[in-house]
């Protein structure tokens, strides 16, 4: 099903066999729980206990790209819940009259799908029905907030910014004893070609380092593609300059899927960590296998080829 964030692979959340099939189709690790999509707060309360913090967040952000981790009503641990705003997702929840478990509809490890075509690429060989709701508006997954502890904290940055949640007493990142969302442990979002991520450093801006990297890699016979926000791309490279951080968020995963077919390496100038930039940097960090390069450092030509 389409959602405003990314496409989801939906199953009846109350049917263990259906949920097992979702894990099998995606090749998802069994210890990574699914987000459950509900119609509204009342629907959420059939599954989970809510307090005034949860009710206020749901009241202000639902339907929309905010996922709340809450204690299950049956006492069996926690559940992550969100009410999507995409009209097709809402229709599906309404007509099926049940909560829908739905992870992103990509094969585990691949960039999340933001069009029906992406879903077909990853899951087209399997018996799934794809509802085409057009390209996803946000292009990045929902923000996951843990409300089972005090203070509440962001477990996965996403389409709702940390700044917007700070006003509700939600901490920007899980610290100390609280592990981040299980899903954030895994290698994720990876294009099929090596990815180099450049961040601002004391000796330069990320976008200024694109040129040296592109020239060096090209001279070694690589076909280079670059992604940046609001900066000109080096001459002779493939890729895109997005007009805004929001546009990069919307187009990042689609760009990975496009450019992995045309380039042998993708070099991204990461945006700053403000607003949606925080979620973009989180996805880039994972997609690049946990490596950022600082602008101004010497170009390092060894590329990590996928596993
Ligand atoms: O925007 C989204 O959230 C999309 C669309 C389809 O709604 N869904 C999505 O699902 O991104 P998925 O499965 O790719 O990511 C779910 C994230 C994972 O990081 C998972 O570990 C975390 O939510 N999660 C799920 N249940 C949790 C729980 N009970 N406690 C902590 N984290 C949880
Ligand atoms: Mg996912």
């Amino acid at each position: 099903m389409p959602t405003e964030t990314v496409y989801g692979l939906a199953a009846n959340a109350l049917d263990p066999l259906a949920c097992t099939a979702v894990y099998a189709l995606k090749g998802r690790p069994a210890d990574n729980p699914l987000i459950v999509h509900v119609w509204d707060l009342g629907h959420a309360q059939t599954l989970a206990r809510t307090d005034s913090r949860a009710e206020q967040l749901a009241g202000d952000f639902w339907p929309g790209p905010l996922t709340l981790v809450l204690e299950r009503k049956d006492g069996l641990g926690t559940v992550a819940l969100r009410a999507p705003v995409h009209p097709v997702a809402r229709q599906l929840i309404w007509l099926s009259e049940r909560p829908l478990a739905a992870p992103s509809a990509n094969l585990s490890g691949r960039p999340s799908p933001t069009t029906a075509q992406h879903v077909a690429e990853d899951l087209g060989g399997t018996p799934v029905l794809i509802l085409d709701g057009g390209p996803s508006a946000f292009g990045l997954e929902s923000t996951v907030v843990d409300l089972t502890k005090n203070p509440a904290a962001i477990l996965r940055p996403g389409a709702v910014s940390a700044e917007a949640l700070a006003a509700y007493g939600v901490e920007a990142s899980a610290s100390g004893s609280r592990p981040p969302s299980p899903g954030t442990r895994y290698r994720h979002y990876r294009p099929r070609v090596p990815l180099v991520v450049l961040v601002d450093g004391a000796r330069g801006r990320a976008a200024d380092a694109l040129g040296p990297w592109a020239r060096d890699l090209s001279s070694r016979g690589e076909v280079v593609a670059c992604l940046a926000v609001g900066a000109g791309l080096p001459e002779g490279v493939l890729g895109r300059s997005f007009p805004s951080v929001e546009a990069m968020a919307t187009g990042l995963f689609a760009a990975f899927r496009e450019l992995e077919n045309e380039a042998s390496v993708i070099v991204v100038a990461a945006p700053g960590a403000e607003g949606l930039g925080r979620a973009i940097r989180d996805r880039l960090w994972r997609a690049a296998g946990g490596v950022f390069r600082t602008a101004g450092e010497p170009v390092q030509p060894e590329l990590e080829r996928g596993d």
Side-chain angles (χ1 to χ4, degrees), residues 156-234:
R156 177 180 73 178
V160 174
S161 72
E163 289 87 341
L165 292 168
Y168 297 80
V170 177
E171 291 194 334
S173 56
S175 57
S177 60
R178 177 153 38 190
S181 272
T184 59
R185 282 199 299 271
Y186 302 101
R187 286 209 159 176
H188 224 130
Y189 316 114
R190 302 192 109 192
R192 290 206 173 87
V193 296
L195 179 70
V196 173
V197 180
L198 304 168
V199 296
D200 288 348
R203 280 182 288 152
R205 291 176 52 241
D208 299 334
L210 288 174
W213 273 85
R215 272 193 299 281
D216 188 275
L217 291 167
S218 300
S219 75
R220 293 165 202 277
E222 301 285 351
V223 180
V224 181
C226 291
L227 296 172
V229 176
L233 297 186

Side-chain angles (χ1 to χ4, degrees), residues 17-234:
L17 278 181
C19 293
T20 303
V22 165
Y23 279 88
L25 281 173
K26 272 186 63 98
R28 185 180 180 97
D31 62 350
N32 189 9
L34 306 177
I35 290 178
V36 177
H37 297 68
V38 292
W39 176 256
D40 62 5
L41 178 63
H43 201 192
Q45 286 166 332
T46 64
L47 299 169
R49 279 195 288 273
T50 59
D51 58 12
S52 59
R53 296 177 305 172
E55 285 151 24
Q56 196 185 8
L57 285 167
D60 289 357
F61 290 95
W62 284 4
L66 182 68
T67 296
L68 305 177
V69 174
L70 299 165
E71 300 287 350
R72 282 168 58 149
K73 262 179 81 176
D74 58 13
L76 298 175
T78 61
V79 62
L81 294 167
R82 87 174 185 100
V85 70
H86 194 291
V88 177
R90 289 187 70 68
Q91 278 288 307
L92 194 61
I93 295 167
W94 183 258
L95 294 172
S96 62
E97 296 181 343
R98 37 185 64 72
L100 298 178
S104 49
N106 50 286
L107 291 176
S108 195
R110 295 275 296 144
S112 301
T114 57
T115 67
Q117 183 57 42
H118 297 161
V119 181
E121 280 166 27
D122 276 19
L123 302 176
T126 53
V128 294
L129 175 68
I130 304 171
L131 300 177
D132 188 348
S136 304
F138 286 97
L140 282 183
E141 296 84 350
S142 62
T143 304
V144 179
V145 171
D146 182 5
L147 287 171
T148 65
K149 300 205 180 73
N150 238 323
I154 294 177
L155 299 183
R156 177 180 73 178
V160 174
S161 72
E163 289 87 341
L165 292 168
Y168 297 80
V170 177
E171 291 194 334
S173 56
S175 57
S177 60
R178 177 153 38 190
S181 272
T184 59
R185 282 199 299 271
Y186 302 101
R187 286 209 159 176
H188 224 130
Y189 316 114
R190 302 192 109 192
R192 290 206 173 87
V193 296
L195 179 70
V196 173
V197 180
L198 304 168
V199 296
D200 288 348
R203 280 182 288 152
R205 291 176 52 241
D208 299 334
L210 288 174
W213 273 85
R215 272 193 299 281
D216 188 275
L217 291 167
S218 300
S219 75
R220 293 165 202 277
E222 301 285 351
V223 180
V224 181
C226 291
L227 296 172
V229 176
L233 297 186

